Short mmCIF file of all heavy atoms in Angstrom, two decimals:
data_model
loop_
_atom_site.label_atom_id
_atom_site.label_comp_id
_atom_site.label_asym_id
_atom_site.label_seq_id
_atom_site.Cartn_x
_atom_site.Cartn_y
_atom_site.Cartn_z
N LYS U 94 3.71 -7.37 33.23
CA LYS U 94 3.60 -7.62 31.78
C LYS U 94 4.26 -6.47 31.03
O LYS U 94 3.90 -5.32 31.24
CB LYS U 94 2.12 -7.72 31.37
CG LYS U 94 1.55 -9.07 31.68
CD LYS U 94 0.23 -9.29 30.97
CE LYS U 94 -0.24 -10.71 31.28
NZ LYS U 94 -1.70 -10.78 31.33
N GLY U 95 5.25 -6.80 30.18
CA GLY U 95 6.00 -5.74 29.48
C GLY U 95 7.23 -5.34 30.30
O GLY U 95 7.95 -4.45 29.90
N PHE U 96 7.41 -5.93 31.45
CA PHE U 96 8.57 -5.77 32.38
C PHE U 96 8.57 -4.50 33.22
O PHE U 96 8.98 -4.53 34.37
CB PHE U 96 9.93 -5.89 31.64
CG PHE U 96 10.08 -7.18 30.91
CD1 PHE U 96 10.27 -7.21 29.54
CD2 PHE U 96 10.01 -8.38 31.59
CE1 PHE U 96 10.37 -8.41 28.86
CE2 PHE U 96 10.12 -9.60 30.93
CZ PHE U 96 10.30 -9.60 29.56
N THR U 97 8.16 -3.34 32.67
CA THR U 97 8.05 -2.14 33.52
C THR U 97 6.61 -1.63 33.39
O THR U 97 5.97 -1.85 32.35
CB THR U 97 9.01 -1.00 33.07
OG1 THR U 97 8.53 -0.46 31.82
CG2 THR U 97 10.44 -1.47 32.89
N PRO U 98 6.11 -0.92 34.40
CA PRO U 98 4.75 -0.38 34.26
C PRO U 98 4.60 0.49 33.02
O PRO U 98 3.58 0.44 32.33
CB PRO U 98 4.57 0.43 35.56
CG PRO U 98 5.44 -0.30 36.56
CD PRO U 98 6.66 -0.74 35.77
N GLY U 99 5.63 1.29 32.68
CA GLY U 99 5.56 2.15 31.49
C GLY U 99 5.47 1.31 30.22
O GLY U 99 4.65 1.58 29.34
N MET U 100 6.30 0.27 30.14
CA MET U 100 6.28 -0.56 28.93
C MET U 100 4.99 -1.37 28.87
O MET U 100 4.52 -1.72 27.78
CB MET U 100 7.52 -1.44 28.85
CG MET U 100 8.77 -0.62 28.57
SD MET U 100 10.04 -1.51 27.71
CE MET U 100 10.79 -2.43 29.02
N GLY U 101 4.41 -1.67 30.05
CA GLY U 101 3.12 -2.36 30.08
C GLY U 101 2.05 -1.51 29.40
O GLY U 101 1.25 -2.00 28.59
N VAL U 102 2.06 -0.21 29.69
CA VAL U 102 1.11 0.72 29.07
C VAL U 102 1.34 0.74 27.55
O VAL U 102 0.41 0.63 26.74
CB VAL U 102 1.28 2.15 29.65
CG1 VAL U 102 0.49 3.17 28.86
CG2 VAL U 102 0.89 2.18 31.13
N MET U 103 2.61 0.82 27.15
CA MET U 103 2.92 0.95 25.72
C MET U 103 2.61 -0.33 24.94
O MET U 103 2.26 -0.31 23.77
CB MET U 103 4.38 1.35 25.54
CG MET U 103 4.67 2.70 26.16
SD MET U 103 6.30 3.34 25.76
CE MET U 103 5.95 4.35 24.34
N ARG U 104 2.73 -1.45 25.63
CA ARG U 104 2.43 -2.75 25.01
C ARG U 104 0.94 -2.80 24.63
O ARG U 104 0.58 -3.23 23.54
CB ARG U 104 2.75 -3.81 26.06
CG ARG U 104 2.85 -5.19 25.58
CD ARG U 104 3.40 -6.06 26.69
NE ARG U 104 2.86 -7.39 26.58
CZ ARG U 104 1.77 -7.82 27.20
NH1 ARG U 104 1.12 -7.03 28.04
NH2 ARG U 104 1.35 -9.04 27.02
N LEU U 105 0.09 -2.31 25.53
CA LEU U 105 -1.35 -2.29 25.24
C LEU U 105 -1.68 -1.29 24.13
O LEU U 105 -2.50 -1.55 23.26
CB LEU U 105 -2.15 -1.96 26.51
CG LEU U 105 -2.15 -3.05 27.57
CD1 LEU U 105 -2.91 -2.59 28.80
CD2 LEU U 105 -2.78 -4.34 27.02
N GLN U 106 -1.01 -0.13 24.17
CA GLN U 106 -1.21 0.87 23.11
C GLN U 106 -0.85 0.25 21.76
O GLN U 106 -1.54 0.42 20.76
CB GLN U 106 -0.33 2.11 23.35
CG GLN U 106 -0.74 2.92 24.57
CD GLN U 106 0.27 4.01 24.91
OE1 GLN U 106 1.45 3.94 24.53
NE2 GLN U 106 -0.17 5.02 25.65
N SER U 107 0.24 -0.50 21.76
CA SER U 107 0.73 -1.12 20.54
C SER U 107 -0.28 -2.11 19.97
O SER U 107 -0.57 -2.12 18.77
CB SER U 107 2.06 -1.83 20.85
OG SER U 107 2.65 -2.28 19.68
N LYS U 108 -0.85 -2.91 20.86
CA LYS U 108 -1.82 -3.91 20.42
C LYS U 108 -3.05 -3.23 19.81
O LYS U 108 -3.51 -3.60 18.72
CB LYS U 108 -2.21 -4.78 21.62
CG LYS U 108 -3.06 -5.96 21.25
CD LYS U 108 -3.30 -6.86 22.42
CE LYS U 108 -4.29 -7.94 22.00
NZ LYS U 108 -4.83 -8.66 23.14
N LYS U 109 -3.55 -2.20 20.51
CA LYS U 109 -4.75 -1.50 20.02
C LYS U 109 -4.48 -0.85 18.66
O LYS U 109 -5.31 -0.90 17.75
CB LYS U 109 -5.17 -0.40 21.01
CG LYS U 109 -5.89 -0.92 22.23
CD LYS U 109 -6.45 0.28 22.96
CE LYS U 109 -7.03 -0.09 24.29
NZ LYS U 109 -7.28 1.09 25.12
N LEU U 110 -3.32 -0.21 18.53
CA LEU U 110 -3.00 0.48 17.27
C LEU U 110 -2.83 -0.51 16.12
O LEU U 110 -3.29 -0.27 15.01
CB LEU U 110 -1.71 1.31 17.45
CG LEU U 110 -1.88 2.59 18.28
CD1 LEU U 110 -0.54 3.16 18.69
CD2 LEU U 110 -2.66 3.64 17.47
N ARG U 111 -2.19 -1.65 16.40
CA ARG U 111 -1.99 -2.66 15.36
C ARG U 111 -3.34 -3.18 14.86
O ARG U 111 -3.58 -3.28 13.64
CB ARG U 111 -1.15 -3.82 15.92
CG ARG U 111 -0.98 -4.97 14.95
CD ARG U 111 -0.17 -6.09 15.54
NE ARG U 111 -0.67 -6.65 16.79
CZ ARG U 111 -1.72 -7.47 16.89
NH1 ARG U 111 -2.40 -7.82 15.81
NH2 ARG U 111 -2.10 -7.93 18.07
N ILE U 112 -4.26 -3.46 15.77
CA ILE U 112 -5.58 -3.97 15.38
C ILE U 112 -6.35 -2.90 14.60
O ILE U 112 -6.94 -3.17 13.55
CB ILE U 112 -6.36 -4.45 16.63
CG1 ILE U 112 -5.66 -5.67 17.21
CG2 ILE U 112 -7.82 -4.75 16.30
CD1 ILE U 112 -6.18 -6.13 18.57
N TRP U 113 -6.29 -1.66 15.08
CA TRP U 113 -6.97 -0.54 14.39
C TRP U 113 -6.43 -0.36 12.97
O TRP U 113 -7.21 -0.18 12.02
CB TRP U 113 -6.76 0.74 15.22
CG TRP U 113 -7.17 1.99 14.52
CD1 TRP U 113 -8.43 2.48 14.37
CD2 TRP U 113 -6.30 2.92 13.85
NE1 TRP U 113 -8.40 3.64 13.66
CE2 TRP U 113 -7.12 3.95 13.32
CE3 TRP U 113 -4.91 3.00 13.65
CZ2 TRP U 113 -6.59 5.03 12.61
CZ3 TRP U 113 -4.39 4.06 12.95
CH2 TRP U 113 -5.21 5.07 12.44
N MET U 114 -5.12 -0.46 12.80
CA MET U 114 -4.53 -0.30 11.45
C MET U 114 -5.08 -1.35 10.49
O MET U 114 -5.42 -1.05 9.35
CB MET U 114 -3.00 -0.45 11.51
CG MET U 114 -2.31 0.76 12.01
SD MET U 114 -0.56 0.41 12.18
CE MET U 114 -0.07 1.83 13.12
#
Side-chain angles (χ1 to χ4, degrees):
K94 280 194 177 148
F96 303 119
T97 70
M100 290 208 280
V102 170
M103 298 189 94
R104 195 170 148 266
L105 290 177
Q106 292 171 339
S107 188
K108 188 174 174 194
K109 282 190 188 166
L110 286 166
R111 176 181 56 76
I112 293 171
W113 169 80
M114 281 174 193

